[in-house]
Amino acid sequence: MASRSPPSSRSSVARVPEAIEAGGVLRDTLGSLRNLDQLVRSMRVGPKGLERAIPDVHSACQPCAEAVRSLERLLRATLPTSAPVEHVTTFVLERLAQVEAALERASSQSMIAKNRLALEQVLGQVLPDLEGGRDLLELLAEAVWAPPVPTPMIDLLSIGQVPPSAAPTVRVKLDARLADLEVVLPPSLVQGCFNILASAYQAHHGQDPSLHYHVQGTEVWLELNTSELPGTWVIWPLQPVLEPSLAVTVAALRTRGCDVVLGEAPRVRLPGEILR
């Protein structure tokens, strides 16, 4: 099989202008919230500085919620089933509402230590969920709009690696036989879905998995388990396993014709039409 250069680490989130715009609003708002979180935690920023910053971030919450609803409508019109996108949208909107309420309270208060701590706690609790929810929406967008790229599977699964010193991480041993497999899928979709499945496996079993390559008749299956096999390790950032994570992962892969079986040893069937 011919060798190919690895794909870029992130393909276009969407090829639909409305989706690009909505995704941009969501990312910008989360960036503003992350910046505010840093200001709240910084001892160099006094109460007056925070009081000036909070109203601008608060005013972005409603447009962000509308952007999330717009993205939901676009995805629902394209996905085979609407349940996963409704689940993740509800998850994101509930947390946006929590942040908006906290910012509304903070806008009417002086940023004395008690009020500052209360805002810091809300941002610390909600921001990881919001960022994880954004990633899940982007994964669904990849599934329906991103162009497929013929790429060796071993290259796809090497995307997004982090140094061994990074934390937290999930290590996955890749079956050496994956070097013989080439698929036609969006690169970020493959890496994102298998990263979530591996993170969920580690959380459930308390150990890092191996990814096995099985051929059953005319079917090709990839299975996460802990049995020994020749191969190489990849190190990915550990993904938060949120309430909608596995349902979104299954929906994203099924949108591209793959079959997914969850359980003690999650398996993904690759349909013949995406194999090379």
Side-chain angles (χ1 to χ4, degrees):
M1 185 175 300
S3 174
R4 297 176 184 268
S5 299
S8 63
S9 61
R10 192 70 180 161
S11 59
S12 298
V13 168
R15 300 285 174 171
V16 178
E18 296 90 340
I20 294 172
E21 182 179 357
V25 171
L26 176 56
R27 288 190 299 275
D28 289 347
T29 301
L30 294 189
S32 296
L33 286 168
R34 180 58 70 189
N35 290 338
L36 180 61
D37 182 55
Q38 293 173 353
L39 293 178
V40 170
R41 295 172 188 276
S42 174
M43 299 304 295
R44 297 181 180 180
V45 179
K48 295 300 182 184
L50 284 178
E51 290 163 12
R52 287 192 296 269
I54 288 170
D56 286 343
V57 183
H58 177 236
S59 67
C61 289
Q62 274 302 311
C64 183
E66 286 304 313
V68 172
R69 294 186 185 98
S70 175
L71 191 53
E72 178 191 19
R73 288 192 294 271
L74 292 165
L75 288 168
R76 286 182 62 181
T78 311
L79 287 165
T81 176
S82 62
V85 70
E86 290 173 359
H87 191 181
V88 70
T89 299
T90 299
F91 181 87
V92 170
L93 289 176
E94 286 176 350
R95 282 143 185 84
L96 266 177
Q98 286 180 257
V99 168
E100 184 176 16
L103 292 174
E104 185 173 5
R105 288 193 299 271
S107 297
S108 63
Q109 298 171 334
S110 60
M111 281 292 99
I112 60 175
K114 179 182 72 172
N115 296 334
R116 184 172 185 149
L117 179 60
L119 180 58
E120 178 183 330
Q121 289 174 336
V122 172
L123 291 173
Q125 291 168 359
V126 175
L127 262 174
D129 281 355
L130 281 174
E131 290 170 339
R134 172 206 56 201
D135 291 346
L136 293 176
L137 286 169
E138 290 187 351
L139 196 63
L140 288 172
E142 292 276 348
V144 297
W145 291 306
V149 180
T151 314
M153 193 70 177
I154 204 83
D155 289 349
L156 293 180
L157 296 172
S158 297
I159 297 171
Q161 288 201 74
V162 295
S165 58
T169 61
V170 56
R171 298 171 71 245
V172 181
K173 193 172 189 181
L174 303 181
D175 191 329
R177 294 170 296 172
L178 287 169
D180 299 325
L181 181 64
E182 185 175 73
V183 298
V184 185
L185 286 170
S188 291
L189 175 69
V190 174
Q191 207 282 328
C193 288
F194 278 94
N195 197 341
I196 290 172
L197 289 173
S199 297
Y201 188 99
Q202 187 198 75
H204 180 70
H205 292 277
Q207 58 187 122
D208 294 321
S210 298
L211 184 63
H212 284 241
Y213 174 32
H214 296 291
V215 178
Q216 299 176 350
T218 59
E219 296 186 335
V220 171
W221 287 86
L222 303 183
E223 179 178 288
L224 289 165
N225 58 47
T226 52
S227 55
E228 292 296 325
L229 79 166
T232 58
W233 289 96
V234 291
I235 303 174
W236 297 331
L238 186 69
Q239 296 300 312
V241 183
L242 308 175
E243 294 169 20
S245 292
L246 291 177
V248 166
T249 300
V250 170
L253 288 168
R254 286 180 175 168
T255 298
R256 292 294 175 138
C258 301
D259 191 20
V260 184
V261 179
L262 299 177
E264 292 296 311
R267 299 193 300 157
V268 177
R269 182 184 63 84
L270 305 178
E273 57 266 26
I274 69 165
L275 301 177
R276 292 291 182 269

